Amino acid sequence: MFAQQDSTANMEGIEFTDGTISPDSLSFEESPDTVTASVDSSKTVAATANAGDSAKNGKKSLWSIFIAGLVGGFAALLMPCIFPMLPLTVSFFTKQSGSRASGISKALLYGLFIIVIYVALGMIITIAFGSDALNALSTNGIFNFIFFLLLVVFAASFFGAFEITLPSSFVNKMDAKSDKGGLIGLFFMAFSLSLVSFSCTGPIIGTLLVEAASKGERLGPAIGMLGFSIALAIPFGLFAMFPSMLKSLPKSGGWLNSVKVVLGFLELALALKFLSNVDLAYHWNWLDREVFLSLWIVVFGLMGLYLIGKIKFSHDSDLKFLSVPRTILAIVVFSFVVYMIPGLWGAPLKSISAFLPPSATQDFDLSTGVGSGSAAHTDGKVKKYAEIFHERGTPKGFDPYYDYDQALATAKELNKPVLIDFTGWNCVNCRKMEANVWTDPAVAKLLKEEFVMAELFVDDKTELPANEQYVSKYSNKKIKTIGNKNSDFQASSFNSNSQPLYVIVDPNGQILVPQSGANYNVEQYKAFLQSGVDAFKKKN
């Protein structure tokens, strides 16, 4: 239902503006302890990274939020609380106005007020939480778990367990004000629509705001509401200009409730993603890849059965026959279920890999792609933090280090460049890169044979030993977790907060070629890796 972002801002409480990073913007948890330490300056790369990466990825993320808002708005139009009101409202404008031009202008103003109301709601969310808090939501365990519970509640509402409504006295007062004429009357008409339809739109709006806030974008909620309200407002203006089109609208009926139920299943599927975020970051080990897939298979399987009328809810009308759209949708859903089943045995499922837990969490894997089994100690060294990341975070067949200093030391011994992979448990595009690009044989060969890999998770919640905790010289904040340490390193050394971020350095930590973000073109990513190898050989 929702488009996915192109990058994941996983640094707790970090605010970025115009593509640059200010030390004051880092907001790690402060502590009265004043232990100080930092990454050895001789081993850090000068901040020569592309300062525009953060701004670019932020724009992409806002576009994805806007598109998600549009999709949510068009879905809301098909809710039983709104769809029947379309012809009634448009007819009111066209019949009560003195002329067709007057009716169109009132309908357009009505649509404009809808946009203003919903965007104002998004701005209130932004102001109430603040940009720092919105950034922190993306990996905060408590908030992600609350989001999971909220989406389950929204799904139950769509299934008919209860209705989420606003106080009737408040709704009636706002509705009474809509009887006034002029702009004030039109405004309160739009406000009344928002209130009366809340039982249907509330879960969609809530899901959209949760999704926007969890991406950490300062304007995310407002942009999401802009897309939602535009989709909601367009039909009122369009049908006012072309009233004859109202005749082409399907009649209200039981199919409107079916839309709600289908959205309820989608809410459940999305809720599991938020629970997976918490599970990965805090190492609960509840939702391994096959468990997650099993739940999705059941959710979408039940959706398919509902669409063909094999199961029904108490408020559903009898399904006497299958319409063509319903049949086509059922075919799509069942096909998706069949597509997911091989994933239980390790199939890569590249089209949805970004949403799934890392492939390393798959316990039973029959795939013959990029290797299988454990490779944690193939070079005879005990890798720091391997017990935390290797079995659940690293794609099978790869053997990275999880500590930057250790990776540099090994690179000096082997005389190889280092590929730094800034990644995260909850990084959607990291999973997509690993499933769609790293599985290419040529790319996998380069990664395994030509580089010492350093996989640095920026959102891990594992606390560092007391003697390794320090106050960042960059932000003057206390660094207490592995994720804090890696994200502080990324921000201070590479002026970036997006994941994945790939940086190729020599054994002394000097950057060899310009860094790269997510690039799903296999040939281009392979060329990026080869350019690093060539630069290293030329330097030596």
Side-chain angles (χ1 to χ4, degrees):
M1 177 177 175
F2 297 97
Q4 296 302 318
Q5 60 185 349
D6 288 340
S7 66
T8 309
N10 285 323
M11 292 183 290
E12 291 191 53
I14 300 180
E15 178 186 345
F16 298 91
T17 306
D18 298 328
T20 60
I21 302 178
S22 166
D24 294 334
S25 65
L26 282 167
S27 181
F28 297 105
E29 183 179 352
E30 291 193 357
S31 169
D33 195 352
T34 57
V35 177
T36 59
S38 67
V39 181
D40 188 340
S41 60
S42 67
K43 295 179 180 179
T44 58
V45 181
T48 57
N50 181 1
D53 281 351
S54 297
K56 180 180 178 181
N57 287 321
K59 290 178 182 177
K60 289 182 178 179
S61 181
L62 289 176
W63 270 111
S64 70
I65 293 171
F66 177 77
I67 294 172
L70 281 176
V71 174
F74 286 124
L77 280 172
L78 301 179
M79 294 286 99
C81 302
I82 293 182
F83 188 81
M85 297 177 67
L86 263 175
L88 295 176
T89 305
V90 172
S91 296
F92 172 81
F93 291 133
T94 55
K95 292 180 181 179
Q96 297 298 323
S97 302
S99 64
R100 183 169 180 269
S102 176
I104 292 175
S105 64
K106 287 183 178 180
L108 292 176
L109 281 172
Y110 181 76
L112 178 62
F113 284 137
I114 289 175
I115 294 174
V116 170
I117 289 167
Y118 281 106
V119 171
L121 172 62
M123 291 302 297
I124 289 172
I125 297 296
T126 297
I127 294 171
F129 284 94
S131 56
D132 286 346
L134 291 177
N135 276 313
L137 294 182
S138 61
T139 57
N140 184 282
I142 295 175
F143 278 107
N144 272 275
F145 193 73
I146 290 174
F147 292 164
F148 161 72
L149 294 178
L150 276 176
L151 294 182
V152 171
V153 170
F154 293 156
S157 174
F158 276 154
F159 290 151
F162 51 83
E163 282 195 353
I164 301 174
T165 58
L166 297 171
S168 58
S169 58
F170 176 67
V171 175
N172 291 335
K173 286 181 181 179
M174 295 300 104
D175 186 52
K177 292 181 181 293
S178 65
D179 293 333
K180 298 180 180 180
L183 293 178
I184 294 178
L186 281 174
F187 175 82
F188 280 104
M189 277 187 66
F191 198 27
S192 296
L193 172 71
S194 305
L195 299 178
V196 172
S197 64
F198 188 79
S199 61
C200 291
T201 60
I204 297 177
I205 293 172
T207 303
L208 179 60
L209 289 174
V210 164
E211 181 74 2
S214 69
K215 291 183 178 180
E217 293 293 341
R218 179 186 302 189
L219 295 177
I223 295 297
M225 288 296 94
L226 177 63
F228 180 89
S229 58
I230 287 176
L232 209 58
I234 285 175
F236 291 98
L238 187 64
F239 288 126
M241 287 187 283
F242 306 101
S244 60
M245 293 178 62
L246 287 171
K247 297 178 182 179
S248 62
L249 285 178
K251 295 182 179 179
S252 300
W255 69 273
L256 290 174
N257 187 69
S258 298
V259 173
K260 284 182 64 176
V261 174
V262 168
L263 289 177
F265 283 115
L266 293 176
E267 296 269 10
L268 275 183
L270 184 60
L272 290 172
K273 175 58 181 171
F274 280 98
L275 183 60
S276 175
N277 290 346
V278 185
D279 174 68
L280 289 167
Y282 287 87
H283 310 296
W284 293 348
N285 300 342
W286 291 354
L287 293 179
D288 287 350
R289 188 172 182 269
E290 65 269 29
V291 175
F292 187 94
L293 276 171
S294 297
L295 291 170
W296 265 31
I297 288 169
V298 171
V299 168
F300 285 98
L302 289 174
M303 183 197 295
L305 292 175
Y306 174 81
L307 287 170
I308 62 175
K310 294 302 181 182
I311 58 175
K312 59 181 292 188
F313 292 88
S314 58
H315 56 298
D316 281 323
S317 56
D318 291 333
L319 184 64
K320 297 180 180 179
F321 60 90
L322 291 179
S323 64
V324 172
R326 196 175 186 117
T327 302
I328 293 174
L329 184 57
I331 292 172
V332 171
V333 171
F334 280 125
S335 298
F336 182 55
V337 170
V338 173
Y339 170 76
M340 287 191 289
I341 290 175
L344 296 174
W345 292 275
L349 305 183
K350 292 184 178 182
S351 63
I352 60 171
S353 59
F355 301 95
L356 303 178
S359 59
T361 64
Q362 185 88 29
D363 293 328
F364 188 53
D365 191 348
L366 296 180
S367 65
T368 57
V370 183
S372 61
S374 176
H377 312 294
T378 54
D379 61 3
K381 288 190 175 183
V382 176
K383 293 180 169 60
K384 192 174 183 179
Y385 307 134
E387 71 280 2
I388 300 172
F389 300 110
H390 187 79
E391 294 299 327
R392 293 182 60 79
T394 301
K396 294 182 183 297
F398 292 95
D399 186 24
Y401 287 82
Y402 306 99
D403 179 77
Y404 178 60
D405 291 341
Q406 191 178 31
L408 286 181
T410 302
K412 288 180 180 179
E413 295 175 8
L414 301 178
N415 194 32
K416 288 184 177 181
V418 176
L419 175 74
I420 309 173
D421 170 23
F422 287 102
T423 185
W425 291 111
N426 305 329
C427 174
V428 169
N429 288 321
C430 301
R431 303 292 86 78
K432 189 173 180 181
M433 283 291 295
E434 292 160 5
N436 293 274
V437 180
W438 284 19
T439 52
D440 178 80
V443 171
K445 183 177 180 181
L446 279 171
L447 290 171
K448 293 177 182 179
E449 298 179 0
E450 300 295 338
F451 294 94
V452 172
M453 296 177 64
E455 194 172 37
L456 305 182
F457 286 76
V458 302
D459 59 356
D460 189 76
K461 305 302 180 182
T462 304
E463 284 205 10
L464 294 164
N467 64 335
E468 293 185 22
Q469 296 181 15
Y470 63 92
V471 174
S472 168
K473 291 183 179 179
Y474 175 73
S475 65
N476 295 319
K477 302 296 182 180
K478 183 67 178 291
I479 305 301
K480 299 184 66 176
T481 68
I482 295 175
N484 291 164
K485 176 183 176 182
N486 291 333
S487 57
D488 180 66
F489 172 45
Q490 181 184 2
S492 61
S493 298
F494 303 104
N495 202 34
S496 172
N497 75 319
S498 63
Q499 292 81 44
L501 181 71
Y502 304 105
V503 187
I504 300 176
V505 300
D506 66 16
N508 295 315
Q510 299 301 311
I511 196 166
L512 293 172
V513 293
Q515 64 201 39
S516 172
N519 187 340
Y520 307 118
N521 184 301
V522 172
E523 293 303 318
Q524 290 180 7
Y525 188 75
K526 185 170 65 174
F528 160 71
L529 295 177
Q530 187 61 54
S531 69
V533 174
D534 295 341
F536 176 72
K537 291 179 178 179
K538 183 178 181 180
K539 187 174 183 180
N540 287 350

